[in-house]
Amino acid sequence: MAGATMTDLFAAQRDRGQEMTVEHDGIVLDFSKNRVTTHTMDLLVGLAQEAGLEAGVEAMFRGERINITEDRAVLHTALRAPHDTVVEVEGRDVVPDVHGVLERMGAFADRVRSGRWRGMSGKPIAAVVNIGIGGSDLGPAMAYQALREFSTDTLDVRFVSNVDGHDLARTLRDLEPETTLFVISSKTFTTVETLTNARTARRWLLASSDEPDAVARHFVAVSTNTDEVAAFGIDPANMFEFWDWVGGRYSLHSAIGLSLVLAVGPQRFREMLAGAHSMDQHFRTAPLRQNLPVLLGLLGIWYRNFWDAQTHAILPYDQRLSRVPAYLQQLDMESNGKSAGRDGRECPVGTAPIIWGEPGTNGQHAFFQLLHQGTVFMSCDFIGVLEPGHDLPGHHDLLMANLFAQSEALAFGKPEDDSGPPELRVHRRFLGNRPSNTILIPRLTPYSLGQLIALYEHKVFAQGWIWGVNSFDQWGVELGKVLANRIVAEIDSEGDLTHDSSTNALIQRYRHARRAAGRNRKAGQ
Ligand code: F6P
C-alpha cells in the first residue's frame, strides 16, 4: 500500500465512502479515509482471528481471569448488564450486587439533589467536590463536562485530582464548608494524592466546625477497600462499593460515577449504562468486519505496526467532549503502553501509540499545521455530533463544515498549482494521503456518551489482545511512586542524598528554596 494514494483509492472504488462506513445503534464510523483497500481490511480481520480475538472477547465477558498478572476477572461490562443478566465471578452472580449499589447511589443522589440530605448546620448541599485521580477522576470529570446540559443547576460539581495544593486551594476558595459534600473516589483508597487532598479537605471542614457528625454529613467514599475507608474516618455506611474486577480506567460506570449521578441524576446515569451496554452487545456479537471497536482497533494496529506510526490524535469537534482526549490517554496508554507480553516475553512489536488531542476547531489554529504538512506520520479520529445541544444560529454548520473539511484536506491534499511565486510552491503544497477515521454521533446524550466510552474501551481491548499484552494492569506506574515516597522523606530529613548527581542536585536546590521560603514566611509574620 506504500505507493497507493487516497485519491487513487477513491477513484478505484466509486462508493468507497459508503462501503467503508459501518453503523451501530446510531453511531457511525466512516473509515474510508484510510490507506487501506477492502483486501487490507480482510487481512487485518484475519490477523484478529489468528490472534484469537473472538475467544478473548468471550473470555472477558464470561469473567475469566484475563488480567493474569493480578489474577483478576475484567468485568466492567457487568456494570452495565441489565437486571436479568447473569454474570458470574467464581460461581457468584455479580449483577444483583451491581444493581444494589446503583440503587444506593440513586437514593443517595436523590436525597442530596432534593435537599433532604443536610449538611452539619442543617443547610442543603450546594457543592460537590470529587477528590480522586486517574480513573477515579478522568471518567467522571470527562462525562460531567460532556453532560453539563443534563445537570442540575442546584449543585456546583467540581473535581480535584492533583496533589498540587493549588488545585484544592482554588477549588475550595469560594465554597462554604457547611454546604460542601466531598466524594472521595479511590479504588484502592491508598493513593497518596487522593488521601492527601482528602485529609486537607477534612481539616478545612473541621476548621469551621466541631460538630461530631461533620465528617459523616460531608464525606462519602467510593472504593473497593472498606478497611481503609473506615480507617480514614468515613462511616462504611457512607461508602459506595465496587469490585476488584473493575479496573480504575474502566470504572466510570461503577460507583466511581457517583459525582456524575449527583450532577445528572440516577435516570440519566442509567441511560449512559444502557448506551455502553448496547456497544458491549455489538462488540460481543457483531462480525469482526462490521464491528466498530474491532475496526478502530485494527486500523490502529495497521498504522502502528505496519507504518510505524508513533501517535494517534483524538479530535472531538465538540467543546463538550473537551476532556475526551485526556480520558482516552489513560484508557489507551495505561492499558496498552506495555513492552511485556501476556506470555511473559518481550513484546516483539510496537504497542500503544501516544494518544493526544484537543477539540476542534481550536486545534486547527494550533497544531494542525503539523498534521497537514509536518513530517510525522500519524492517524487521527474526528468525532462529530450531528445535532447540537444549543440553538445559536450558524455555529454548528461552521463547526461541522470544519470537521469535514479537515478530513478531506488530510486525505486528498491539494494538487500543486503554479499560481503565485514559484519559490513559495513547495511551502503551499498539501500532499495529502494522511489517514483519519470519522465517528459521528446523532446527539450527545448520556446514552450516546456511554456508547462512545464503550467503543473506545473495546477498541483498546481488541488492540491489547492482538498485541498480546495484558491491558488491565499498570505496573509501570509503581517505580515513580516508590521513588517519590523515598524522596519526600529525604526532603524533610535533610540527610545525605544517595541518588545520581542530577537527582541529588535537584533535591538540594529544592531544599534550599524550601528553607528560604520558610524564612520568608517567618519574616512576613
Ligand atoms: O497510579 C495509577 C492508578 O493506579 C490508576 O490506574 C488509577 O486509575 C489511579 O491510579 C487511581 O487509583 P485509585 O482509584 O486506587 O486511587
Side-chain angles (χ1 to χ4, degrees), residues 133-136 186-188 191 248-249 330 334 474 477 481:
I133 197 165
S136 301
S186 175
K187 178 177 172 181
T188 55
T191 303
R249 53 195 173 272
Q330 185 199 16
E334 202 174 71
Q474 55 285 318
V477 302
K481 290 184 189 174

Side-chain angles (χ1 to χ4, degrees), residues 108-125:
F108 173 69
D110 283 341
R111 287 178 70 193
V112 174
R113 286 160 61 87
S114 64
R116 280 180 288 127
W117 177 283
R118 301 275 164 164
M120 58 202 177
S121 65
K123 290 189 183 167
I125 296 299

Side-chain angles (χ1 to χ4, degrees), residues 89-236:
V89 177
E90 285 168 3
R92 179 188 155 80
D93 181 12
V94 297
V95 176
D97 298 344
V98 166
H99 284 268
V101 173
L102 272 174
E103 264 148 41
R104 281 190 61 225
M105 288 163 69
F108 173 69
D110 283 341
R111 287 178 70 193
V112 174
R113 286 160 61 87
S114 64
R116 280 180 288 127
W117 177 283
R118 301 275 164 164
M120 58 202 177
S121 65
K123 290 189 183 167
I125 296 299
V128 172
V129 179
N130 187 86
I131 295 182
I133 197 165
S136 301
D137 166 76
L138 288 163
M142 173 277 288
Y144 176 63
Q145 193 60 35
L147 301 176
R148 284 285 279 276
E149 280 71 17
F150 296 87
S151 300
T152 174
D153 291 333
T154 58
L155 284 180
D156 177 354
V157 181
R158 303 181 182 192
F159 295 83
V160 172
S161 54
N162 204 327
V163 74
D164 178 351
H166 296 103
D167 198 5
L168 186 63
R170 286 181 178 184
T171 302
L172 297 183
R173 196 162 47 192
D174 57 346
L175 295 183
E176 298 295 338
E178 57 178 341
T179 55
T180 300
L181 175 73
F182 292 97
V183 178
I184 312 301
S185 296
S186 175
K187 178 177 172 181
T188 55
F189 230 78
T190 57
T191 303
V192 68
E193 291 93 332
T194 299
L195 291 182
T196 303
N197 279 325
R199 286 189 200 104
T200 305
R202 187 175 54 190
R203 269 200 303 279
W204 176 80
L205 176 81
L206 296 178
S208 74
S209 158
D210 47 18
E211 293 287 331
D213 66 346
V215 172
R217 301 270 92 214
H218 293 270
F219 275 76
V220 297
V222 178
S223 188
T224 59
N225 192 341
T226 315
D227 292 347
E228 289 295 333
V229 168
F232 180 86
I234 297 177
D235 184 347

Side-chain angles (χ1 to χ4, degrees), residues 364-404:
Q364 290 175 207
H365 299 275
F367 53 80
F368 270 51
Q369 163 65 41
L370 179 148
L371 265 52
H372 288 288
Q373 290 186 318
T375 53
V376 178
F377 180 78
M378 59 184 291
S379 52
C380 56
D381 293 349
F382 289 98
I383 305 173
V385 180
L386 295 174
E387 194 186 316
H390 63 77
D391 52 12
L392 305 178
H395 288 257
H396 205 61
D397 291 351
L398 202 50
L399 178 71
M400 296 304 284
N402 272 278
L403 185 167
F404 302 138

